[in-house]
Amino acid sequence: MKKPPEINTGSMADISFLLLTFFLLTSSINTDMGIFRKLPPPPDPNVKPADIKQRNIFTVLINKNDRLLVDNKPSDIRMLRQQAKDFISNPSNLETLPEKKLEEIPYLGNYMVSKGVISLQNDRGTSYDMYIKVQNELTAALNDLRDELSMDKFNRKFDELSDPNFIEAVQKAIPISISEAEPKDVGEQ
Amino acid sequence: MSDIIFMFLFFFMVITTIRETTLIVKVKVPLATEVQKLEKKSLVCNIYAGIPNKKELAGSGTRIQLNDQYATANDIGDFIATERQSLDEADRRRLTVSLKVDQETKMGIVADIKQELRKYNALLINYSTRKTTIGNLFTSK
């Protein structure tokens, strides 16, 4: 019996290399990540904005030169995280810092939920980079608080929690309370 | 030899996604530490903003890119409507808009985009960022 002729596979490596380079160039590793936010619904002219007590508001202003004004005092981005944490948690129940409301939260029991709201305002001339840095620091402050609470109650960090009930409980105890003011036209773009 | 290369090839095909849109604006998203991964790619639509690649055609100011072309903030309503159409009824409320905005951009244009999104009730947004460590955040750009 005659042997079938062998197929030359030497060029196979070249072809697959070519394909490999093609895919390497046309594709990107899926690394889409970022900071999540929920925008407020469009303002309803019939509904009056709720009155919030002054002690419950923590204002963060960013001007067009990317300078910060936190609670009417100039501040630095490096200090913002601690300031926001102190504000929301109000550890020594000061009169000037936000009120707390006792709430019954499943899996946590009675918890003093802070009524503090962080109000973020920026100028049209603020750089996006600075804005994201501030958003990042404020998120970090809330995440830190969530981590602390989660460590205390469930012995794990917040993002290591696996039970959705626990996650929901912590989210309820420390909500992401960052509100952005309606944009105002001040300063040039 | 070719087996190994083919293995590489399949590996890359599985973990990567083909870029759907070619960028016509320069986008280098800012750095952040508190990032979350975007799940459910099918529910995400992208809005890009940055300085055009071809300045002689589109000027040197910041422009918005929707799909494959330049757009203004007024086009966002139509864009969101089309994106919604392509989703299932049940998923429409979960549409997430990923804002891929260059770090040099001024907030004015971002505020315009956000106002449009609110107007058309696309409220879930994601500020696209690169992940970094704390040490890098305040020193490098």
Side-chain angles (χ1 to χ4, degrees):
Chain A
M1 205 176 111
K2 215 173 128 189
K3 261 196 193 163
E6 267 183 39
I7 302 164
N8 182 11
T9 54
S11 54
M12 199 63 128
D14 299 357
I15 296 166
S16 43
F17 250 124
L18 216 80
L19 278 171
L20 181 63
T21 21
F22 171 75
F23 270 97
L24 275 175
L25 290 178
T26 54
S27 59
S28 58
I29 298 173
N30 193 355
T31 51
D32 202 1
M33 40 173 84
I35 300 173
F36 279 85
R37 279 288 173 276
K38 195 164 190 281
L39 294 173
D44 191 340
N46 301 321
V47 180
K48 263 198 302 183
D51 264 334
I52 305 175
K53 280 188 199 156
Q54 197 54 46
R55 64 179 282 199
N56 289 341
I57 308 178
F58 181 72
T59 43
V60 180
L61 278 152
I62 326 169
N63 78 355
K64 72 177 168 95
N65 298 322
D66 291 351
R67 294 297 191 83
L68 281 178
L69 197 68
V70 176
D71 265 346
N72 294 318
K73 284 189 273 298
S75 180
D76 188 84
I77 182 85
R78 282 155 230 253
M79 281 149 63
L80 185 63
R81 183 189 296 218
Q82 196 53 46
Q83 285 176 321
K85 269 173 84 173
D86 290 346
F87 170 81
I88 292 285
S89 60
N90 189 6
S92 41
N93 293 314
L94 290 176
E95 284 285 303
T96 49
L97 291 176
E99 300 164 283
K100 291 176 185 175
K101 198 170 130 221
L102 192 69
E103 264 183 59
E104 168 109 34
I105 296 171
Y107 303 97
L108 285 177
N110 289 331
Y111 184 78
M112 302 290 272
V113 179
S114 172
K115 282 174 139 187
V117 173
I118 299 170
S119 162
L120 177 59
Q121 286 174 42
N122 61 268
D123 192 88
R124 289 185 70 87
T126 307
S127 81
Y128 183 64
D129 188 41
M130 186 62 183
Y131 174 77
I132 289 297
K133 268 186 191 153
V134 170
Q135 282 274 20
N136 184 59
E137 286 310 292
L138 297 176
T139 319
L142 291 163
N143 283 348
D144 280 2
L145 291 173
R146 282 180 169 183
D147 274 349
E148 279 164 26
L149 176 68
S150 177
M151 244 355 218
D152 192 29
K153 299 277 179 185
F154 309 120
N155 245 330
R156 271 186 190 177
K157 282 192 164 180
F158 176 63
D159 43 331
E160 286 161 9
L161 290 178
S162 47
D163 189 333
N165 290 322
F166 291 173
I167 295 178
E168 205 184 314
V170 177
Q171 281 173 340
K172 218 176 234 172
I174 301 168
I176 296 277
S177 46
I178 301 175
S179 111
E180 288 182 61
E182 297 289 322
K184 285 176 225 152
D185 268 320
V186 277
E188 68 266 48
Q189 200 166 329
Chain B
M1 174 69 168
S2 58
D3 299 3
I4 299 162
I5 310 292
F6 262 115
M7 236 160 71
F8 261 126
L9 179 63
F10 287 128
F11 173 70
F12 272 102
M13 280 170 74
V14 169
I15 65 159
T16 60
T17 45
I18 294 175
R19 277 192 203 118
E20 292 129 43
T21 45
T22 12
L23 281 176
I24 47 174
V25 289
K26 185 179 106 8
V27 173
K28 190 179 180 201
V29 294
L31 294 165
T33 56
E34 309 296 314
V35 297
Q36 281 172 288
K37 266 209 181 115
L38 265 179
E39 321 260 328
K40 287 261 176 191
K41 267 233 140 189
S42 55
L43 294 176
V44 176
C45 63
N46 294 314
I47 294 179
Y48 304 92
I51 291 164
N53 284 339
K54 289 181 177 159
K55 290 200 179 71
E56 58 277 16
L57 287 177
S60 56
T62 305
R63 298 292 301 267
I64 300 169
Q65 181 189 345
L66 298 172
N67 296 323
D68 277 328
Q69 51 201 340
Y70 295 116
T72 61
N74 296 327
D75 302 324
I76 289 175
D78 289 340
F79 172 73
I80 294 294
T82 344
E83 289 289 331
R84 280 230 177 90
Q85 286 288 313
S86 65
L87 292 176
D88 289 340
E89 200 83 47
D91 286 336
R92 284 191 189 157
R93 282 178 55 242
R94 293 164 64 211
L95 176 75
T96 307
V97 181
S98 181
L99 297 179
K100 300 205 165 134
V101 180
D102 189 79
Q103 57 184 10
E104 311 278 312
T105 310
K106 299 286 178 208
M107 277 307 288
I109 202 157
V110 184
D112 292 344
I113 295 174
K114 275 158 64 182
Q115 284 304 90
E116 280 306 300
L117 289 176
R118 282 175 70 189
K119 211 160 99 191
Y120 293 95
N121 239 10
L123 301 178
L124 294 174
I125 60 163
N126 168 56
Y127 299 108
S128 190
T129 55
R130 286 171 289 148
K131 193 173 169 54
T132 183
T133 50
I134 292 226
N136 286 328
L137 190 60
F138 301 127
T139 49
S140 66
K141 259 234 157 175

